[in-house]
Amino acid sequence: MKQGIKNKIIGNFIKEARYDLELTLNDLSNLIGISRGYLGEVEKGNKTIQPDKLEMILDTLNIDFNFDESVFDISNDELIKAYNHYIYEDYDDIYSIYINSSNFFYSFGYIASQLIDLLIKIVNNKLLEHYDFIIFEDLFDFMNDIQKSIYLELKANYYIKNGDIKNADITLQRLKNICCELVIPMLHLDQCIVHVHRNNQLQAIKLHEVCVNDFSNSCNESKMLWLNTISVELLLQFKKYEEADLLCDLVLSKAKRYPNKEITNKCYQLKMAILISTQKYEEVINIYNLYYKNQMNFVSTFVLYTYYKQMNFKKCSELIEKSKQITNSLNVQLFAKLLEALIQHNSFEDTKNTVTPLIALAKSKENYNLLSSLIDMYSNFLYTNHYYKEAYDLKYSSLY
């Protein structure tokens, strides 16, 4: 065994197997006669372990094979299949790869299996935390370029979906440095989305053209639909509402036929944004009641804004209370807190003290679409209440 090279992988491997059997470190220590402290250091990757001791641990954990370093060899075949299914949104096929392997963690490599596990979590829209990525950062130096690229692309895409554009961009910069050919089209697509969120129209348009070339010959209908949603967002930013509305309706009809729930949801979000921009508030409420009444996600921000513009503060307050109870979306939380401050304001200072940290938080995440909405609403509130200088300063300085 190579000393000090693969011990962190081995440590994670033992820990996963121990967790599967619901054993504590003390339990395993008592079973094999190795000290708890030593086992803990092995699992953390701080100590190497001899083959005879590792074989004893594996026997105790009911892992039925003779130890061979090939179990930790880099194996990408199943990972690449799963990733391609993810790109084409053939999620059932990903589950088949995940489920049909009777000895999942040990059949095609520990790192590859962990990455497929991450992919499954993202497909299931599981809300991940920082610690969910720690294991992959620990293993990063042991990955090859394919594994690094897939991991970073999944991580960036997760941040984008959750509105954390700052961390998405940091991850994409890392990805650019080691990007393998497999994920280049998705790198371009993610970069394009980041520029759209930042209102960098020129960069977004250039990358949009690159993405069209990337996907035009791939027969990937799903990704072409995603590109069309980006086109709608760009038309919105250029205030070409009629063209945006026509394209949005076209993409929505295709997404329903496909069917593609994620793109359909995105299209309804864009449709609601177009309707708000053209002050067709009743149609926003109609879409919400038809498709989202029992949900709390990003579309809730459009409905909150609509109730606020209609001065229906009772409905607005009800939705705010609902968002506090069931939403995990930072965008919805910020929007709801802003509206609550604007509706229930007692004084200018109270409102300012509540709203300013919300705007700062949105800015720190570099989600400039959300930030722009927050600033527009707060500046309108200031203007309506005759705080003209404050409104001007906020409107023309906060985004720069």
Side-chain angles (χ1 to χ4, degrees), residues 8-25:
K8 188 172 286 288
I9 297 176
I10 292 170
N12 281 314
F13 183 81
I14 293 171
K15 187 189 296 184
E16 291 285 347
R18 178 170 62 78
Y19 284 169
D20 285 346
L21 294 177
E22 299 182 355
L23 293 175
T24 65
L25 272 173

Side-chain angles (χ1 to χ4, degrees), residues 35-214:
S35 74
R36 179 187 181 282
Y38 178 77
L39 280 175
E41 290 300 302
V42 168
E43 288 191 357
K44 292 175 184 176
N46 294 334
K47 285 189 179 293
T48 56
I49 186 167
Q50 298 302 319
D52 57 335
K53 290 185 178 179
L54 179 59
E55 189 171 347
M56 184 193 310
I57 293 172
L58 297 178
D59 286 342
T60 304
L61 295 173
N62 298 323
I63 298 171
D64 186 21
F65 66 93
N66 292 322
F67 172 72
D68 186 330
E69 276 198 359
S70 65
V71 75
F72 302 112
D73 283 351
I74 288 163
S75 174
N76 291 315
D77 291 346
E78 297 298 315
L79 174 60
I80 291 172
K81 285 180 190 175
Y83 178 74
N84 283 326
H85 290 315
Y86 168 73
I87 297 303
Y88 282 86
E89 299 180 3
D90 301 325
Y91 297 147
D92 287 343
D93 292 320
I94 301 175
Y95 285 114
S96 296
I97 292 172
Y98 182 73
I99 294 169
N100 290 342
S101 176
S102 59
N103 211 2
F104 180 66
F105 282 106
Y106 323 124
S107 55
F108 47 81
Y110 179 74
I111 294 176
S113 66
Q114 289 287 71
L115 284 168
I116 295 174
D117 192 43
L118 175 68
L119 200 154
I120 290 286
K121 289 178 181 177
I122 291 173
V123 166
N124 287 334
N125 293 316
K126 180 181 176 183
L127 188 69
L128 303 179
E129 302 292 347
H130 175 67
Y131 62 77
D132 288 293
F133 295 116
I134 288 177
I135 183 173
F136 298 103
E137 296 299 331
D138 285 345
L139 297 174
F140 194 77
D141 290 339
F142 300 103
M143 299 181 190
N144 64 13
D145 283 352
I146 289 176
Q147 293 173 338
K148 288 177 180 178
S149 297
I150 289 176
Y151 160 61
L152 291 173
E153 197 282 313
L154 290 174
K155 187 176 183 181
N157 195 253
Y158 175 78
Y159 283 136
I160 287 170
K161 286 182 178 179
N162 288 278
D164 192 344
I165 302 305
K166 183 176 182 179
N167 275 321
D169 193 39
I170 291 169
T171 306
L172 289 172
Q173 291 303 317
R174 291 175 66 191
L175 178 56
K176 280 175 65 178
N177 295 330
I178 48 93
C179 191
C180 72
E181 189 173 342
L182 178 70
V183 304
I184 285 174
M186 293 304 296
L187 169 65
H188 292 155
L189 184 61
D190 287 344
Q191 286 179 315
C192 184
I193 294 170
V194 165
H195 284 303
V196 169
H197 277 275
R198 286 179 163 171
N199 293 329
N200 297 333
Q201 286 99 345
L202 290 178
Q203 293 93 326
I205 289 169
K206 288 178 183 177
L207 279 165
H208 185 273
E209 292 172 356
V210 172
C211 291
V212 170
N213 291 330
D214 286 339

Side-chain angles (χ1 to χ4, degrees), residues 291-315:
Y291 300 103
Y292 298 104
K293 194 166 186 179
N294 296 318
Q295 301 179 36
M296 283 303 298
N297 51 31
F298 189 65
V299 299
S300 306
T301 61
F302 298 118
V303 184
L304 282 167
Y305 180 79
T306 298
Y307 285 143
Y308 180 71
K309 293 296 286 186
Q310 292 176 324
M311 301 188 73
N312 190 341
F313 298 142
K314 181 180 178 182
K315 283 282 188 183

